[in-house]
mmCIF file of all heavy atoms in Angstrom:
data_model
loop_
_atom_site.group_PDB
_atom_site.id
_atom_site.type_symbol
_atom_site.label_atom_id
_atom_site.label_comp_id
_atom_site.label_asym_id
_atom_site.label_seq_id
_atom_site.Cartn_x
_atom_site.Cartn_y
_atom_site.Cartn_z
ATOM 1 N N ASP C 167 -9.583 16.515 -32.342
ATOM 2 C CA ASP C 167 -9.094 15.264 -31.664
ATOM 3 C C ASP C 167 -8.435 15.700 -30.356
ATOM 4 O O ASP C 167 -7.897 16.768 -30.245
ATOM 5 C CB ASP C 167 -7.970 14.598 -32.526
ATOM 6 C CG ASP C 167 -8.596 14.232 -33.907
ATOM 7 O OD1 ASP C 167 -9.429 13.515 -33.944
ATOM 8 O OD2 ASP C 167 -8.051 14.840 -34.868
ATOM 9 N N ASN C 168 -8.588 14.814 -29.293
ATOM 10 C CA ASN C 168 -7.894 15.089 -28.004
ATOM 11 C C ASN C 168 -6.917 13.929 -27.720
ATOM 12 O O ASN C 168 -7.320 12.886 -27.320
ATOM 13 C CB ASN C 168 -8.927 15.107 -26.946
ATOM 14 C CG ASN C 168 -9.744 16.393 -27.020
ATOM 15 O OD1 ASN C 168 -9.224 17.498 -27.123
ATOM 16 N ND2 ASN C 168 -11.036 16.168 -27.177
ATOM 17 N N GLY C 169 -5.729 14.138 -28.183
ATOM 18 C CA GLY C 169 -4.742 12.960 -28.126
ATOM 19 C C GLY C 169 -3.903 13.002 -26.801
ATOM 20 O O GLY C 169 -3.121 12.082 -26.494
ATOM 21 N N ARG C 170 -4.138 14.107 -25.972
ATOM 22 C CA ARG C 170 -3.275 14.068 -24.727
ATOM 23 C C ARG C 170 -4.072 13.352 -23.690
ATOM 24 O O ARG C 170 -4.090 12.156 -23.579
ATOM 25 C CB ARG C 170 -2.923 15.502 -24.367
ATOM 26 C CG ARG C 170 -1.704 15.999 -25.175
ATOM 27 C CD ARG C 170 -1.400 17.393 -24.935
ATOM 28 N NE ARG C 170 -2.364 18.197 -25.678
ATOM 29 C CZ ARG C 170 -2.427 19.597 -25.502
ATOM 30 N NH1 ARG C 170 -1.618 20.235 -24.584
ATOM 31 N NH2 ARG C 170 -3.326 20.323 -26.159
ATOM 32 N N CYS C 171 -4.719 14.036 -22.721
ATOM 33 C CA CYS C 171 -5.574 13.229 -21.775
ATOM 34 C C CYS C 171 -6.959 13.648 -21.753
ATOM 35 O O CYS C 171 -7.267 14.562 -21.033
ATOM 36 C CB CYS C 171 -4.833 13.221 -20.420
ATOM 37 S SG CYS C 171 -3.865 14.649 -20.050
ATOM 38 N N PRO C 172 -7.766 12.940 -22.619
ATOM 39 C CA PRO C 172 -9.150 13.332 -22.691
ATOM 40 C C PRO C 172 -9.922 13.044 -21.372
ATOM 41 O O PRO C 172 -9.764 11.887 -20.852
ATOM 42 C CB PRO C 172 -9.748 12.510 -23.809
ATOM 43 C CG PRO C 172 -8.870 11.317 -23.932
ATOM 44 C CD PRO C 172 -7.465 11.695 -23.340
ATOM 45 N N SER C 173 -10.656 13.977 -20.801
ATOM 46 C CA SER C 173 -11.386 13.698 -19.521
ATOM 47 C C SER C 173 -12.850 13.446 -19.805
ATOM 48 O O SER C 173 -13.300 13.706 -20.949
ATOM 49 C CB SER C 173 -11.181 14.858 -18.519
ATOM 50 O OG SER C 173 -11.883 15.894 -19.101
ATOM 51 N N GLY C 174 -13.614 13.011 -18.874
ATOM 52 C CA GLY C 174 -15.058 12.840 -18.981
ATOM 53 C C GLY C 174 -15.493 11.368 -19.049
ATOM 54 O O GLY C 174 -16.699 11.076 -18.923
ATOM 55 N N VAL C 175 -14.556 10.445 -19.161
ATOM 56 C CA VAL C 175 -14.967 9.026 -19.272
ATOM 57 C C VAL C 175 -15.740 8.544 -17.995
ATOM 58 O O VAL C 175 -16.638 7.824 -18.074
ATOM 59 C CB VAL C 175 -13.757 8.124 -19.583
ATOM 60 C CG1 VAL C 175 -12.826 7.908 -18.353
ATOM 61 C CG2 VAL C 175 -14.165 6.797 -20.170
ATOM 62 N N SER C 176 -15.286 9.115 -16.792
ATOM 63 C CA SER C 176 -15.960 8.664 -15.615
ATOM 64 C C SER C 176 -17.407 9.057 -15.547
ATOM 65 O O SER C 176 -18.215 8.401 -15.060
ATOM 66 C CB SER C 176 -15.232 9.189 -14.359
ATOM 67 O OG SER C 176 -15.317 10.666 -14.406
ATOM 68 N N TYR C 177 -17.603 10.246 -16.178
ATOM 69 C CA TYR C 177 -19.041 10.725 -16.131
ATOM 70 C C TYR C 177 -19.843 9.753 -17.120
ATOM 71 O O TYR C 177 -21.074 9.522 -16.815
ATOM 72 C CB TYR C 177 -19.097 12.142 -16.628
ATOM 73 C CG TYR C 177 -18.389 13.090 -15.596
ATOM 74 C CD1 TYR C 177 -17.198 13.693 -15.937
ATOM 75 C CD2 TYR C 177 -18.916 13.089 -14.257
ATOM 76 C CE1 TYR C 177 -16.517 14.414 -15.026
ATOM 77 C CE2 TYR C 177 -18.187 13.872 -13.311
ATOM 78 C CZ TYR C 177 -16.984 14.587 -13.685
ATOM 79 O OH TYR C 177 -16.346 15.217 -12.742
ATOM 80 N N MET C 178 -19.208 9.354 -18.162
ATOM 81 C CA MET C 178 -19.947 8.388 -19.079
ATOM 82 C C MET C 178 -20.389 7.258 -18.325
ATOM 83 O O MET C 178 -21.601 6.820 -18.279
ATOM 84 C CB MET C 178 -18.950 7.946 -20.156
ATOM 85 C CG MET C 178 -19.547 6.773 -20.990
ATOM 86 S SD MET C 178 -18.367 6.325 -22.325
ATOM 87 C CE MET C 178 -17.326 5.125 -21.363
ATOM 88 N N LEU C 179 -19.483 6.668 -17.401
ATOM 89 C CA LEU C 179 -19.791 5.468 -16.607
ATOM 90 C C LEU C 179 -20.841 5.799 -15.479
ATOM 91 O O LEU C 179 -21.784 5.040 -15.231
ATOM 92 C CB LEU C 179 -18.546 4.874 -16.054
ATOM 93 C CG LEU C 179 -17.532 4.412 -17.150
ATOM 94 C CD1 LEU C 179 -16.153 4.164 -16.575
ATOM 95 C CD2 LEU C 179 -18.065 3.167 -17.890
ATOM 96 N N GLU C 180 -20.561 6.978 -14.879
ATOM 97 C CA GLU C 180 -21.516 7.260 -13.659
ATOM 98 C C GLU C 180 -22.855 7.648 -14.212
ATOM 99 O O GLU C 180 -23.943 7.258 -13.579
ATOM 100 C CB GLU C 180 -20.950 8.414 -12.870
ATOM 101 C CG GLU C 180 -19.697 8.110 -11.990
ATOM 102 C CD GLU C 180 -20.281 7.186 -10.863
ATOM 103 O OE1 GLU C 180 -21.469 7.207 -10.491
ATOM 104 O OE2 GLU C 180 -19.373 6.382 -10.293
ATOM 105 N N ASN C 181 -22.923 8.350 -15.303
ATOM 106 C CA ASN C 181 -24.295 8.659 -15.889
ATOM 107 C C ASN C 181 -25.047 7.418 -16.131
ATOM 108 O O ASN C 181 -26.291 7.382 -15.745
ATOM 109 C CB ASN C 181 -24.141 9.418 -17.257
ATOM 110 C CG ASN C 181 -23.531 10.836 -17.037
ATOM 111 O OD1 ASN C 181 -23.420 11.284 -15.876
ATOM 112 N ND2 ASN C 181 -23.233 11.467 -18.152
ATOM 113 N N ARG C 182 -24.413 6.391 -16.703
ATOM 114 C CA ARG C 182 -25.110 5.164 -17.029
ATOM 115 C C ARG C 182 -25.561 4.530 -15.648
ATOM 116 O O ARG C 182 -26.809 4.137 -15.503
ATOM 117 C CB ARG C 182 -24.199 4.117 -17.661
ATOM 118 C CG ARG C 182 -24.777 2.740 -17.937
ATOM 119 C CD ARG C 182 -25.982 2.816 -18.866
ATOM 120 N NE ARG C 182 -25.680 3.512 -20.093
ATOM 121 C CZ ARG C 182 -25.215 2.837 -21.150
ATOM 122 N NH1 ARG C 182 -24.940 1.552 -21.117
ATOM 123 N NH2 ARG C 182 -25.021 3.497 -22.254
ATOM 124 N N GLN C 183 -24.776 4.578 -14.628
ATOM 125 C CA GLN C 183 -25.156 4.021 -13.336
ATOM 126 C C GLN C 183 -26.355 4.673 -12.778
ATOM 127 O O GLN C 183 -27.357 4.157 -12.257
ATOM 128 C CB GLN C 183 -24.011 4.069 -12.379
ATOM 129 C CG GLN C 183 -24.108 3.141 -11.163
ATOM 130 C CD GLN C 183 -24.305 1.720 -11.454
ATOM 131 O OE1 GLN C 183 -23.895 1.263 -12.586
ATOM 132 N NE2 GLN C 183 -25.160 1.109 -10.590
ATOM 133 N N THR C 184 -26.285 6.049 -12.811
ATOM 134 C CA THR C 184 -27.355 6.873 -12.177
ATOM 135 C C THR C 184 -28.679 6.614 -12.995
ATOM 136 O O THR C 184 -29.729 6.554 -12.339
ATOM 137 C CB THR C 184 -26.909 8.359 -12.256
ATOM 138 O OG1 THR C 184 -25.638 8.456 -11.794
ATOM 139 C CG2 THR C 184 -27.850 9.291 -11.392
ATOM 140 N N LEU C 185 -28.559 6.664 -14.293
ATOM 141 C CA LEU C 185 -29.767 6.538 -15.056
ATOM 142 C C LEU C 185 -30.457 5.182 -14.846
ATOM 143 O O LEU C 185 -31.724 4.952 -14.861
ATOM 144 C CB LEU C 185 -29.456 6.660 -16.556
ATOM 145 C CG LEU C 185 -30.484 7.432 -17.421
ATOM 146 C CD1 LEU C 185 -30.757 8.700 -16.743
ATOM 147 C CD2 LEU C 185 -29.980 7.678 -18.771
ATOM 148 N N ARG C 186 -29.642 4.173 -14.484
ATOM 149 C CA ARG C 186 -30.230 2.794 -14.045
ATOM 150 C C ARG C 186 -31.110 2.939 -12.897
ATOM 151 O O ARG C 186 -32.261 2.359 -12.868
ATOM 152 C CB ARG C 186 -29.067 1.929 -13.700
ATOM 153 C CG ARG C 186 -29.064 0.530 -14.289
ATOM 154 C CD ARG C 186 -27.911 -0.247 -13.752
ATOM 155 N NE ARG C 186 -27.079 -0.639 -14.801
ATOM 156 C CZ ARG C 186 -27.404 -1.587 -15.732
ATOM 157 N NH1 ARG C 186 -28.508 -2.279 -15.544
ATOM 158 N NH2 ARG C 186 -26.531 -1.924 -16.707
ATOM 159 N N GLN C 187 -30.689 3.886 -12.001
ATOM 160 C CA GLN C 187 -31.565 4.008 -10.782
ATOM 161 C C GLN C 187 -32.840 4.889 -11.070
ATOM 162 O O GLN C 187 -33.921 4.669 -10.543
ATOM 163 C CB GLN C 187 -30.838 4.713 -9.641
ATOM 164 C CG GLN C 187 -29.868 3.741 -8.951
ATOM 165 C CD GLN C 187 -28.692 4.493 -8.423
ATOM 166 O OE1 GLN C 187 -28.685 5.744 -8.413
ATOM 167 N NE2 GLN C 187 -27.629 3.767 -8.085
ATOM 168 N N VAL C 188 -32.662 5.899 -12.096
ATOM 169 C CA VAL C 188 -33.752 6.781 -12.365
ATOM 170 C C VAL C 188 -34.811 6.004 -13.315
ATOM 171 O O VAL C 188 -36.034 6.162 -13.100
ATOM 172 C CB VAL C 188 -33.228 8.027 -13.048
ATOM 173 C CG1 VAL C 188 -34.372 8.910 -13.641
ATOM 174 C CG2 VAL C 188 -32.306 8.824 -12.185
ATOM 175 N N PHE C 189 -34.271 5.230 -14.282
ATOM 176 C CA PHE C 189 -35.270 4.507 -15.108
ATOM 177 C C PHE C 189 -34.926 2.972 -14.982
ATOM 178 O O PHE C 189 -34.393 2.347 -15.906
ATOM 179 C CB PHE C 189 -35.093 4.896 -16.588
ATOM 180 C CG PHE C 189 -35.509 6.306 -16.837
ATOM 181 C CD1 PHE C 189 -34.615 7.290 -17.169
ATOM 182 C CD2 PHE C 189 -36.872 6.574 -16.790
ATOM 183 C CE1 PHE C 189 -35.001 8.585 -17.379
ATOM 184 C CE2 PHE C 189 -37.373 7.948 -17.008
ATOM 185 C CZ PHE C 189 -36.398 8.905 -17.380
ATOM 186 N N PRO C 190 -35.310 2.386 -13.803
ATOM 187 C CA PRO C 190 -34.924 0.993 -13.702
ATOM 188 C C PRO C 190 -35.680 0.191 -14.791
ATOM 189 O O PRO C 190 -36.790 0.578 -15.156
ATOM 190 C CB PRO C 190 -35.432 0.608 -12.320
ATOM 191 C CG PRO C 190 -36.375 1.694 -11.879
ATOM 192 C CD PRO C 190 -36.052 2.894 -12.601
ATOM 193 N N GLY C 191 -34.983 -0.825 -15.374
ATOM 194 C CA GLY C 191 -35.736 -1.788 -16.244
ATOM 195 C C GLY C 191 -35.795 -1.287 -17.627
ATOM 196 O O GLY C 191 -36.095 -2.062 -18.510
ATOM 197 N N LEU C 192 -35.357 -0.078 -17.920
ATOM 198 C CA LEU C 192 -35.567 0.440 -19.358
ATOM 199 C C LEU C 192 -34.435 -0.189 -20.227
ATOM 200 O O LEU C 192 -34.587 -0.421 -21.435
ATOM 201 C CB LEU C 192 -35.463 1.897 -19.386
ATOM 202 C CG LEU C 192 -36.034 2.617 -20.594
ATOM 203 C CD1 LEU C 192 -37.498 2.211 -20.932
ATOM 204 C CD2 LEU C 192 -35.984 4.095 -20.522
ATOM 205 N N PHE C 193 -33.307 -0.469 -19.580
ATOM 206 C CA PHE C 193 -32.101 -0.879 -20.445
ATOM 207 C C PHE C 193 -32.326 -2.189 -21.174
ATOM 208 O O PHE C 193 -32.267 -2.328 -22.309
ATOM 209 C CB PHE C 193 -30.861 -0.920 -19.488
ATOM 210 C CG PHE C 193 -30.475 0.391 -18.958
ATOM 211 C CD1 PHE C 193 -31.018 0.862 -17.864
ATOM 212 C CD2 PHE C 193 -29.565 1.140 -19.777
ATOM 213 C CE1 PHE C 193 -30.614 2.191 -17.426
ATOM 214 C CE2 PHE C 193 -29.182 2.399 -19.366
ATOM 215 C CZ PHE C 193 -29.691 2.952 -18.190
#
Side-chain angles (χ1 to χ4, degrees):
Chain C
D167 300 301
N168 292 302
R170 278 174 285 170
C171 22
S173 65
V175 73
S176 63
Y177 297 110
M178 167 180 88
L179 299 166
E180 282 294 336
N181 290 352
R182 176 62 54 87
Q183 195 53 32
T184 313
L185 218 50
R186 223 181 247 283
Q187 285 150 11
V188 173
F189 291 108
L192 196 55
F193 288 88

